Amino acid sequence: MNGPAIRTVLDSLNHGLYQSLADDKRAVLLGEDLLDPYGGAFKVSRGLSSAFPDQVLTTPISEAGVTGIAGGMALRGLRPVVEIMFGDFITLISDQVINHIAKFNDMYHGAATAPVVIRTPMGGRRGYGPTHSQSLEKFFLGVPGLTVLAPFNLFGNSPLGSPGQLLKDVILKAEVPVLFVENKLQYLLPLLSKANLDEYEVNTVWDDAGVPAPSYTLRLKSAPQATLTLAAYGYMAHLALGAMRKLAYEMEIFCELLVPTQLAPFELKEVFDSVRCTGRLLTVEEGTFSLGWGAEVVARTAEELGTNLKQAGRLAAREGVIPVAPDLELASLPGDEDIIARVREMVFHHG
Amino acid sequence: MLDNKELFRRLYQIRRFETVLLEQFKSGIFPGTTHTSLGQEANAVGVLAHLEPGDVVVSNHRCHGHFLAYGGDPQALFAELMGKPSGVCGGVGGSQHLHWRNFYSSGVQGGTVAMAAGMALAEKRTQSGAIVVDFMGDGTLGEGIVYECLNMISLWQLPVLLVLEHNQIAQTTPSSLAIAGSVPKRFEAFEIPTTALDSSDILDIYPLAETLIEQVRNESAPRALMITTARLGSHSKGDDTRAPGVLESLWQSRDPIAIQAKRLAGAEHNQVIQDIDAKIQQAFEAALAAEGGAG
């Protein structure tokens, strides 16, 4: 690796892109404002156009066209990666993804694949307001033929499972199209090595719907049997991890945290296994409440477990726009205190 | 250079296929609906006769003519339309969604232009020497993604021939109610060299397409060809709202099969008709006899 050490999720993703472009000339990165010295709006692509000028293509503001073009490139054997500057803009690519890229394999009866990778940052808490702060991935969950992934900031010193390694695997090896959901605040999070996680037991299971994606189960070592299962991904998983620790040390409420990186297709065996023991499930997501990821997780867990699921809850963003004003913005999004309050309510007040 | 008889044979094969298809639709063996290429056969034959083996074709909802002119198997196409496992795409894609060798079609307007642009970008990057031919209709000009892609096709000088089959009607809406301004100037605004041709005569289309495809290949750069043409059938089946007199007059003046038939001697003409009728009938029966499907 050229450049500085890999400390954050952003470093890791940047490194994953660097390695992908270095290892395979078929990999091409397309998107808006990618060229150095700017290197993309959130700097995930920084340095790449200097190192690989032929493989980084800066584009006009044409999300639909660029994504459709990436679909055509993939059908003809390239490995295109599209950077969508803000996750809010994935509405613009929906026809390209749903009616074209995700369908080619099935509708052409297995004779063609379009392994396009679409990366984009979701999430608020940056004061960007109603159209640059949303988490819209729920609209792309459950699209047949599309895999949706969200990295977690774990295992920085392991080649497996880091955000950048996951991204590189997807770019170079996936035979399916992938929406790779990043998060603006997650970019700045440090990668947690095994040493950082010394007080936790961490189990990793690899899902594989076209690309191997890790699913993590975290619990505090030597803790009593957990009484609630938390399920969250991406930046919300980071908040949930902090909440789980505080609940244990300050309130003696013990939880397990399930963190999938593969959001779709749904692979929830570890959630089922955990809830079988705890009986309670709380999902946390940054998208709006109705018909979201949590709704599907709870529904599938209820179908699988029947009355062994005694209690279920969902935390999500308030239904409405995300305001610019910092206090209003924070109030509209689920935070760690919301997680703690909801867990306490579920454990104490509903038996 | 294909002779008049061979050009007629290729035109008539499409015509016969579509005619049998429409006749047999009544019997219920074809699920869903279909869009036929009646009247636009010369565009498909005239352009695609010049392809090299590695070249790529992107087509739209009205793709049977393009598929057959590309060299696709009529039996596999019949089987696809019947929803049979022996079809081009196992019966999954149906009339609008075909893929065989380097031929791809899809049914949502506009997205296919992006597919074609991406494919041309891939061929250019890998220096394969292949070009892409993209067929679109005048109705497609209403979609915004078309203009995003025209911009990038020109910006990146992608080796694609954009063939606009301007049949002046989109489903039931005449282009006078849907298109403002000039169609060729839409392409020219992006500095894509554009040729306009108003003809259903294969002997006009065939040599012009040869020149344009050579230019695309030699310069690795885009060209646009607008062919003003006539849709002699319905949009799909039985949904033509044009006055009978209008259609009749189009059949008399713009039928590419009739235009080319005049150039063949009687015996030569009859022989082609006989051969193709038998071939299409055999393809139909073999497709019907295969397992599966709605029948």
Side-chain angles (χ1 to χ4, degrees), chain B residues 83-107:
Chain B
K84 302 230 176 192
S86 53
V88 182
C89 292
V92 176
S95 175
Q96 311 188 64
H97 315 103
L98 302 175
H99 167 47
W100 177 70
R101 295 192 179 166
N102 291 335
F103 183 96
Y104 305 79
S105 72
S106 190

Side-chain angles (χ1 to χ4, degrees), chain A residues 25 27-28 30 54-78 95-96 99-100 104 106-109 111-112, chain B residues 54 56 85 88-90 92-93 97-99 101-102 104-106 108-112 114-119 121-123 125-126 145 148-149 151-152 155-156 158:
Chain A
K25 292 293 165 205
V28 182
L30 302 95
D54 295 338
Q55 287 167 273
V56 179
L57 197 49
T58 199
T59 73
I61 302 173
S62 303
E63 288 84 359
V66 170
T67 303
I69 282 172
M73 294 166 76
L75 282 172
R76 301 300 298 168
L78 297 185
D95 182 57
Q96 300 317 307
N99 278 325
H100 293 82
F104 289 137
D106 273 358
M107 84 179 191
Y108 292 150
H109 208 222
Chain B
V56 180
V88 182
C89 292
V92 176
H97 315 103
L98 302 175
H99 167 47
R101 295 192 179 166
N102 291 335
Y104 305 79
S105 72
S106 190
V108 180
Q109 296 301 305
T112 49
M115 279 170 75
M119 290 168 160
L121 180 57
E123 301 307 326
R125 288 186 65 86
T126 55
I145 193 172
E148 295 186 13
C149 291
N151 183 50
M152 287 181 274
L155 189 66
W156 298 333
L158 302 181

Side-chain angles (χ1 to χ4, degrees), chain A residues 316-337:
Chain A
R318 191 178 288 173
E319 310 254 16
V321 300
I322 299 174
V324 169
D327 54 335
L328 297 178
E329 181 180 35
L330 275 182
S332 75
L333 299 173
D336 45 6
E337 292 303 322

